[in-house]
């Protein structure tokens, strides 16, 4: 089982990206689960979403406390939220930032494998809105590759994006691919 | 009187399956006073009919308002509501 | 068997109601039920479902509308939650007393005050004695299957009772997970059209909902009670029919790794799944522990509960509601009542867990297990505990 926590702000699509991962896992024939941090939806407030991916049925309905992966959709959250809280051993954090991984690690003392990508620029050049959720899925899948194999099938994920975004799927898929290619990964200290 | 039904005899939800079965209940037996009309004063407005809780007041073939004594229970509402005060209640025993 | 697809559970519930080809949906939106009725209104508006969607100004009216439509012979669905369910309270008795087979999905949520939109079973426990059939589901597949099953049971001429399908708000309702949908052919094989023995009919006028004077009211209550108790046989039959069609078998009381367990958890609803993971981990550590899950809540499955729990050392009963100033939790009191007549009774320790959406984790179940193990080792039986409450 691979457990994932998403940090974003209300309206940035954290829940959507969690759902995309679950859909991709299920389409592949595996098991996936995604849910928001439950509560009123408040635009701009720090929010979380969770996902689990597994090759066996998932029987856990509590929140994720020891994530194997953490996605940070908005770098300003690093100052507000302890995004590394409870990170599992060997876990990965990916951050949407234009700064270098070394910089981010030094300033925020982030343990684990660290992936960074300039999510905002990619989002502006593809979907033309400052929404980094689809980019960060690409970054996340890149940073968590094991022996070149992604956590969920890239085609399955693109298919999930296609179904979710309909006529605006193409720029989202472009954002996803571009972020996958451009993500820089800094291994664990 | 027929014996009351046991629980197994009741249809689910207990609908009453006989239309207008309330007619079997002759509320006239409850009456201790009956309405008497002074037809000379009656203006035939029908207000008594509207207010009668048993809906038992109807004009007869001459157009004179009368209560059907099978159902008139003697409540006196017609006498209270009559616009010309032409109805009086008379004790049955008198 | 179909293929598993990813779906938010609430959407699955709405689509199951569509597959049942409901004629009337009347509902008022309330968190966390909202996605169910929003999606149904879309399905009707987009022409995927040929039904009357009756928007109303309150849940009281929603339930009243459902009573009228089902009495007129229309297959009827609604959904609600928490304060909405509470506002229906008065009409719930009318639906059940008049034996109107409405199917209602309840996204379980706590009751105010203080205002809480989060999950527990406080809402449905306040409606326990309304004379409705009541089941609990644990996940999206359960929920989808049980909407179709609920129509099959409720509309059976031997039952004719309304039914609540309880699914936990948020921790089940808002989760995207995998489930298998039914094909139209499977639905046709399982669920006959609604054909009430009698209905509101201008050409054949009957009186529905008349006065029950003292000479008759008692007999109507007895008939209602017997109808609920007798419904269990139809429910079990419908579950085995469901297994024939889609290959999933459900029971009034279900067990998980409990065969040889001295200590068993007893739970109801979505947290049962988290409990299974705790049982897996405790088993790996060599503990003889299992889980017994209540699926059927009304009629209460006394015989099945006795069979599943008799002979154990300790039952760890987990409630999701508190009977304030009373015996603790409603599930635990029912379970104790079921066990009272046994010659040797297991010890029952009670936890009220996850009130108002407080998360219940695998670690919480392990802590509860430790307390159960202490009792099994001869320690004193503690009173009910509100799990995780701060001093
Ligand atoms: S006395 Fe009452 S019941 Fe009789 S006619 Fe008058 S209003 Fe009707
Ligand atoms: S209310 Fe009086 S005046 Fe009017 S119809 Fe009746 S008896 Fe006549």
């Amino acid at each position: 089982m691979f457990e994932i926590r998403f940090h974003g702000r209300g309206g940035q699509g954290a829940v959507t990206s969690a759902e995309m991962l679950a859909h991709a896992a299920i389409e592949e024939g595996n098991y996936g689960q995604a849910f928001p941090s439950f509560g009123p939806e408040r635009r701009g407030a720090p929010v979380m979403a969770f996902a689990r991916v597994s090759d066996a049925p998932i029987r856990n309905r509590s929140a994720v406390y020891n994530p194997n992966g953490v996605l940070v959709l908005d770098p300003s959250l690093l100052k507000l939220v302890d995004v590394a809280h409870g990170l599992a051993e060997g876990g990965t954090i990916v951050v949407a930032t234009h700064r270098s991984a070394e910089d981010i690690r030094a300033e925020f003392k982030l343990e684990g494998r660290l992936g960074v990508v300039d999510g905002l620029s990619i989002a502006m050049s593809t979907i033309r809105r400052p929404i980094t959720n689809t980019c960060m899925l690409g970054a996340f899948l890149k940073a968590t590759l094991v022996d070149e194999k992604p956590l969920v099938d890239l085609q399955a994920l693109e298919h999930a994006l296609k179904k979710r975004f309909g006529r605006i799927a193409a720029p989202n898929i472009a954002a996803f691919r571009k972020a996958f290619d451009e993500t820089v990964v800094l291994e664990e200290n | 009187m027929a014996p009351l039904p046991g629980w197994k005899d009741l249809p689910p939800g207990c609908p009453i399956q006989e239309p207008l079965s309330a007619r079997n209940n002759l509320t006239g037996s409850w009456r201790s006073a009956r309405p008497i009309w002074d037809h000379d004063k009656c203006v035939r407005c029908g207000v008594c009919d509207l207010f009668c809780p048993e809906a038992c007041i109807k004009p007869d073939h001459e157009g004179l308002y009368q209560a059907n004594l099978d159902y008139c229970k003697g409540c006196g509402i017609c006498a209270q509501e009559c616009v010309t005060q032409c109805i009086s209640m008379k004790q049955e025993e008198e | 068997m179909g293929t598993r697809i990813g779906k938010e559970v609430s959407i699955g519930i709405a689509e199951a109601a569509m597959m049942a080809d409901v004629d009337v949906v009347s509902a008022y939106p309330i968190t966390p039920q909202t996605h169910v009725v929003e999606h149904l209104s879309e399905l009707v508006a987009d022409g995927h479902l040929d039904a009357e969607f009756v928007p109303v100004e309150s849940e009281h009216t929603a339930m009243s509308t459902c009573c009228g439509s089902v009495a007129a012979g229309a297959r009827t669905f609604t959904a609600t939650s928490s304060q909405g369910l509470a506002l229906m309270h008065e009409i719930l008795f009318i639906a059940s007393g008049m034996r109107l087979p409405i199917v209602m999905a309840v996204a379980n949520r706590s009751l105010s005050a203080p205002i809480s939109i989060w999950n527990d079973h406080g809402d449905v426990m306040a409606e326990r004695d309304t004379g409705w059939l009541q089941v609990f589901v644990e996940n999206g597949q359960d929920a989808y299957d049980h909407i179709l099953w609920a129509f099959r049971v409720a509309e059976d001429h031997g039952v004719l009772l309304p039914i609540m399908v309880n699914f936990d708000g948020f921790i089940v309702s808002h989760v995207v997970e995998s489930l298998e949908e039914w094909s139209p052919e499977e639905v046709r094989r399982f669920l006959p059209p609604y054909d009430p023995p009698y209905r509101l009919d201008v050409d054949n006028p009957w009186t529905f909902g008349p006065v029950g004077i003292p000479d008759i009211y008692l007999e109507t209550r007895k008939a209602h009670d017997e109808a609920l108790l007798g419904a269990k046989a139809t429910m079990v039959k419908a579950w085995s029919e469901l297994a024939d069609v889609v290959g999933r078998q459900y029971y009034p009381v279900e067990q998980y790794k409990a065969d040889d367990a001295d200590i068993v958890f007893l739970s109801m609803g979505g947290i049962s799944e988290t409990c299974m993971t705790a049982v897996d981990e405790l088993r790996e550590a060599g503990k003889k522990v299992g889980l017994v899950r209540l699926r059927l809540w009304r009629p209460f499955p006394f015989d099945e509960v006795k069979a599943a729990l008799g002979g154990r050392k300790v039952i760890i009963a987990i409630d999701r509601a508190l009977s304030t100033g009373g015996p603790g939790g409603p599930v635990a009191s029912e379970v104790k009542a079921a066990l009272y007549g046994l010659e040797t009774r297991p010890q029952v320790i009670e936890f009220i867990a996850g009130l108002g959406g407080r998360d219940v984790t695998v670690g919480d179940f392990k802590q509860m297990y430790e307390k159960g193990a202490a009792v099994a080792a001869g320690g004193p039986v503690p009173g009910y505990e509100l799990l995780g409450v701060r001093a």
Side-chain angles (χ1 to χ4, degrees):
Chain A
M1 173 120 65
F2 197 100
E3 300 189 294
I4 307 132
R5 187 171 66 210
F6 298 73
H7 292 278
R9 294 179 179 278
Q12 286 181 337
V15 181
T16 303
S17 42
E19 291 180 3
M20 294 301 100
L21 269 186
H23 279 297
I26 293 163
E27 186 176 308
E28 257 188 287
N30 284 324
Y31 293 83
Q33 182 197 53
F35 51 98
S37 56
F38 307 124
E41 285 152 34
R42 299 155 302 162
R43 185 160 290 262
V47 295
M48 288 189 288
F50 308 98
R52 293 187 171 96
V53 171
S54 173
D55 53 11
I58 297 162
R59 294 201 182 107
N60 192 342
R61 294 190 177 275
S62 71
V64 169
Y65 295 97
N66 298 113
N68 306 97
V70 173
L71 281 78
V72 184
L73 305 187
D74 184 330
S76 66
L77 289 169
L78 293 171
K79 290 199 176 76
L80 290 176
V81 184
D82 177 8
V83 298
H85 189 80
L87 187 69
E89 210 171 301
T92 302
I93 301 175
V94 292
V95 183
T97 176
H98 62 269
R99 293 169 59 189
S100 75
E102 288 79 2
D103 252 23
I104 296 287
R105 169 157 286 164
E107 182 176 347
F108 298 103
K109 311 270 177 293
L110 298 182
E111 305 282 315
R113 192 192 278 181
L114 182 62
V116 295
V117 70
D118 189 357
L120 194 59
S121 302
I122 295 175
M124 292 313 290
S125 71
T126 49
I127 56 181
R128 303 192 191 287
R129 290 172 63 204
I131 300 207
T132 57
N133 63 343
T134 43
C135 300
M136 294 315 289
L137 282 171
F140 168 71
L141 291 179
K142 172 71 163 288
T144 53
L145 285 173
V146 177
D147 300 331
E148 301 296 305
K149 200 180 165 313
L151 179 67
V152 299
D153 183 57
L154 300 181
Q155 295 289 314
L157 196 118
E158 289 189 10
H159 189 230
L161 292 173
K162 212 171 274 169
K163 269 173 74 177
R164 175 57 168 256
F165 290 100
R167 60 190 169 76
I168 55 161
N172 276 286
I173 289 170
F176 167 73
R177 287 182 184 165
K178 197 162 159 49
F180 185 92
D181 292 340
E182 293 182 8
T183 296
V184 175
V185 180
L186 185 62
E187 287 303 329
E188 200 161 357
N189 281 348
Chain B
M1 221 165 88
L4 289 164
W7 69 265
K8 288 179 192 160
D9 304 322
L10 300 175
C14 302
I16 294 173
Q17 301 170 1
E18 183 193 342
L20 302 174
S21 62
R23 281 186 178 167
N24 302 339
N25 189 8
L26 297 180
T27 46
S29 66
W30 304 357
R31 192 178 59 244
S32 59
R34 68 173 64 187
I36 303 292
W37 267 259
D38 177 350
H39 289 298
D40 291 341
K41 284 208 279 180
C42 173
V43 296
R44 300 182 187 179
C45 63
V47 164
C48 52
D49 182 11
L50 283 175
F51 274 91
C52 172
E54 293 297 325
C56 70
I57 302 173
K58 290 285 170 295
D60 66 11
H61 58 279
E62 290 169 43
L64 304 175
Y65 277 82
Q66 304 284 359
N68 179 339
L69 294 178
D70 283 345
Y71 297 103
C72 168
K73 60 187 178 184
C75 66
I77 288 173
C78 52
Q80 177 72 30
E81 297 297 334
C82 169
V83 294
T84 62
Q85 289 163 346
C86 73
I87 305 172
S88 56
M89 299 301 292
K90 178 170 174 280
Q91 290 299 308
E92 288 288 342
E93 284 203 343
E94 280 170 24
Chain C
M1 284 213 317
T3 43
R4 285 187 297 110
I5 54 159
K7 208 168 267 290
E8 185 189 319
V9 174
S10 292
I11 302 301
I13 286 173
E15 291 179 358
M18 176 180 74
M19 291 304 285
D21 195 20
V22 292
D23 301 306
V24 173
V25 178
S26 183
Y28 189 85
I30 180 168
T31 303
Q33 151 266 37
T34 329
H35 295 181
V36 176
V37 297
E38 273 176 3
H39 192 56
L40 274 165
S41 79
E42 282 166 5
L43 291 170
V44 172
D46 293 347
H48 300 301
L49 172 61
D50 179 18
E52 201 69 44
F53 187 96
V54 188
V56 285
E57 91 302 342
S58 76
E59 286 86 354
H60 190 277
T61 305
M63 185 44 60
S64 303
T65 305
C66 289
C67 286
S69 73
V70 85
R75 178 167 283 169
T76 301
F77 178 80
T78 188
T80 192
S81 194
S82 184
Q83 310 301 123
L85 183 63
L87 188 51
M88 286 180 178
H89 177 75
E90 180 192 7
I91 312 299
L92 296 180
F93 289 92
I94 292 173
S96 64
M98 288 175 66
R99 308 285 298 275
L100 302 171
I102 299 158
V103 172
M104 174 158 68
V106 181
N108 300 124
R109 160 184 154 184
S110 50
L111 286 166
S112 304
I115 295 171
S116 165
I117 60 168
W118 292 272
N119 164 240
D120 68 29
H121 292 175
D123 56 359
V124 65
M125 287 305 156
E127 310 304 335
R128 186 188 63 184
D129 296 338
T130 51
W132 282 53
L133 304 170
Q134 297 176 29
V135 288
F136 282 77
V137 300
E138 295 170 0
N139 56 47
Q141 186 70 66
D142 277 22
Y144 187 101
D145 291 348
H146 278 85
I147 295 301
L148 290 155
W149 170 89
F151 284 108
R152 163 71 186 84
V153 169
E155 295 170 357
D156 188 287
H157 284 197
V159 176
L160 293 175
L161 282 165
I163 182 165
M164 291 180 205
V165 178
N166 290 284
F167 65 114
D168 288 286
F170 293 116
I171 69 162
V172 175
S173 67
H174 280 50
V175 179
V176 168
E177 57 185 63
S178 57
L179 60 87
E180 284 175 25
E181 296 174 307
W182 293 33
S183 69
E185 173 52 26
E186 286 166 335
V187 175
R188 254 194 307 279
R189 275 170 57 204
F190 177 73
L191 181 63
Y194 178 37
D195 176 27
Y198 44 78
R199 67 185 82 195
L200 287 173
D201 177 1
V202 284
D203 296 324
N204 182 24
W206 289 8
T207 301
F208 288 72
V211 174
I213 58 175
D215 277 343
I216 201 75
Y217 187 86
L218 175 60
E219 283 69 25
T220 69
R221 290 291 98 171
K222 172 69 173 168
H224 191 162
D225 190 35
E226 291 288 341
L228 255 102
L229 296 172
K232 191 172 75 181
T234 307
M235 294 172 133
V236 169
K237 184 165 167 274
W239 272 320
S240 82
E241 289 167 9
L242 186 149
D244 289 343
V245 175
V246 294
R248 286 178 291 277
Q249 176 70 62
Y250 299 101
Y251 300 97
V253 173
E254 294 174 12
Q255 304 201 10
Y256 182 74
K257 298 192 177 175
D259 283 352
D260 62 340
D262 304 323
I263 301 177
V264 294
F265 291 104
L266 178 99
S267 69
M268 195 161 77
I271 64 162
S272 299
E273 294 206 323
T274 312
C275 186
M276 285 181 208
T277 296
V279 167
D280 289 345
E281 292 180 13
L282 287 164
R283 281 270 171 185
E284 271 166 37
K287 315 287 187 194
K288 273 169 72 177
V289 62
L291 166 64
V292 171
R293 296 121 72 202
L294 274 181
R295 178 172 296 286
L296 181 55
W297 175 237
R298 281 295 180 275
F300 189 79
F302 282 101
D303 294 338
E304 291 83 352
V305 166
K306 269 189 273 187
L309 299 182
R312 313 283 185 183
K313 266 196 189 143
V314 174
I315 314 297
I316 304 169
I318 302 159
D319 262 284
R320 306 292 322 282
L322 174 63
S323 170
T324 33
V331 173
S333 359
E334 232 71 322
V335 164
K336 285 180 175 173
L339 299 178
Y340 185 77
L342 297 182
E343 212 130 284
T344 52
R345 293 191 289 268
Q347 300 287 2
V348 179
I349 64 170
E350 300 179 43
F351 293 93
I352 318 286
L355 287 191
R358 189 71 63 89
D359 204 10
V360 185
T361 65
V362 170
D364 290 328
F365 286 104
K366 289 181 176 171
Q367 272 185 26
M368 289 187 257
Y369 171 79
E370 289 308 327
K371 291 183 178 163
V375 171
V381 181
Y384 69 88
E385 177 184 334
L386 272 68
L387 186 77
V389 72
R390 286 185 300 275

